[in-house]
Amino acid sequence: MSSPYVVLHNPNQNHLLAAMQDADFARLAPHLEQVPMRLGDVIYDSGDKLQHVYFPTTAIVSLHYLLENGGSSEIAGVGNEGVVGVSLFMGGDSTPSRAVVQTGGVGYRLKAHLLMEEFNRAGPVMRLLLRYTQALLTQMSQTAVCNRHHTVEQQLCRWLLLTLDRLPGRELTMTQELIANMLGVRREGVTEAAGKLQARGHISYRRGHITVLDRSGLESTTCECYGVVKKEFARLLSDGRQRQA
């Protein structure tokens, strides 16, 4: 007897794949390889030539920029809304950032040359990927603005909400140290900010597990950056027809 807790995976759980037209998806579907994406896995490192692109379904990948002194901070996240490896079809082949799995789960891998063949058809897939890239650039620029002008508490709320949007539940497995690395701030700042959110009843934090208790409270505390990113993704990607998983 099969377990009731088995999670069934399907490429259409990735919104970008689900937005492709049937004929376009049919050409790629036989080549999509389901792969585990474990917490901490490095999908690609700075300067690597991309051999594959990844479409996360239940995993979340963090794009980091690495400094010479060993420090790093997140410049964007990619979950079930997108694809990891946009530099491939943007003509760069490699990128100075590092892609690391932030939340473990599953994704689908596609060989780089197969996506490039589809992209070079200059049809609906190309237009969809370019719209996604514009949305990703919005996320990157908004992250830079947020990190410069807004409080650690607002940054934490933005990060929690964007992460929550990519997960089926309301619990995140993430230590304060990892969050501090994502935001590029001191761990003490995250501890203080998380303490304030917990005191207001917005979150519960215990041993690396964060449970969101009051999403509306986070939305009222965060800055405008969360709304800007969310609206831009919706605006650019909502016109694609979504197939049922």
Side-chain angles (χ1 to χ4, degrees):
M1 181 181 296
S2 62
S3 167
Y5 301 104
V6 172
V7 178
L8 299 178
H9 297 286
N10 188 295
N12 289 308
Q13 291 170 317
N14 178 278
H15 300 170
L16 206 56
L17 291 174
M20 292 181 182
Q21 295 182 6
D22 288 339
D24 298 327
F25 180 76
R27 287 191 296 271
L28 295 178
H31 307 287
L32 291 168
E33 177 189 0
Q34 181 182 314
V35 292
M37 302 178 76
R38 302 177 185 87
L39 175 66
D41 281 356
V42 177
I43 303 303
Y44 62 74
D45 217 331
S46 174
D48 284 354
K49 185 172 182 178
L50 302 183
Q51 303 297 324
H52 297 87
V53 293
Y54 292 78
F55 297 89
T57 52
T58 58
I60 302 176
V61 177
S62 178
L63 307 183
H64 287 252
Y65 189 84
L66 305 178
L67 301 174
E68 290 182 353
N69 64 5
S72 69
S73 65
E74 184 181 71
I75 56 176
V78 181
N80 58 8
E81 82 289 348
V83 59
V84 180
V86 298
S87 61
L88 174 74
F89 54 80
M90 295 303 290
D93 279 343
S94 65
T95 174
S97 63
R98 169 187 286 177
V100 183
V101 177
Q102 162 198 318
T103 300
V106 166
Y108 287 82
R109 186 171 71 176
L110 180 68
K111 290 182 178 178
H113 74 90
L114 295 174
L115 185 67
M116 284 308 302
E117 289 175 7
E118 198 62 44
F119 185 85
N120 289 334
R121 289 175 181 267
V125 171
M126 182 191 75
R127 292 189 289 273
L128 178 65
L129 291 174
L130 290 178
R131 289 199 305 273
Y132 169 72
T133 303
Q134 181 178 339
L136 184 65
L137 289 173
T138 298
Q139 184 187 169
M140 291 178 175
S141 59
Q142 209 66 39
T143 297
V145 170
C146 190
N147 291 350
R148 176 67 179 83
H149 292 284
H150 296 140
T151 66
V152 174
E153 186 177 350
Q154 289 174 314
Q155 294 177 48
L156 177 59
C157 288
R158 168 185 57 81
W159 185 86
L160 287 172
L161 288 167
L162 288 172
T163 301
L164 205 62
D165 287 346
R166 299 171 173 125
L167 297 174
R170 57 193 182 100
E171 183 169 324
L172 293 70
T173 302
M174 183 67 61
T175 65
Q176 291 187 5
E177 183 175 358
L178 282 174
I179 295 174
N181 289 336
M182 298 286 185
L183 299 179
V185 299
R186 293 171 58 86
R187 184 181 182 278
E188 292 80 4
V190 173
T191 300
E192 181 181 354
K196 290 179 180 178
L197 295 177
Q198 184 162 250
R200 296 192 201 110
H202 297 339
I203 66 171
S204 172
Y205 179 80
R206 181 176 60 87
R207 293 180 181 177
H209 291 271
I210 299 176
T211 303
V212 175
L213 305 175
D214 180 11
R215 182 186 175 110
S216 61
L218 293 181
E219 291 175 343
S220 65
T221 305
T222 193
C223 49
E224 69 269 26
C225 298
Y226 167 67
V228 169
V229 172
K230 186 172 183 178
K231 288 177 183 176
E232 189 70 352
F233 270 94
R235 181 181 75 85
L236 291 167
L237 301 179
S238 62
D239 62 338
R241 183 164 59 87
Q242 302 285 317
R243 289 187 311 278
Q244 293 298 315

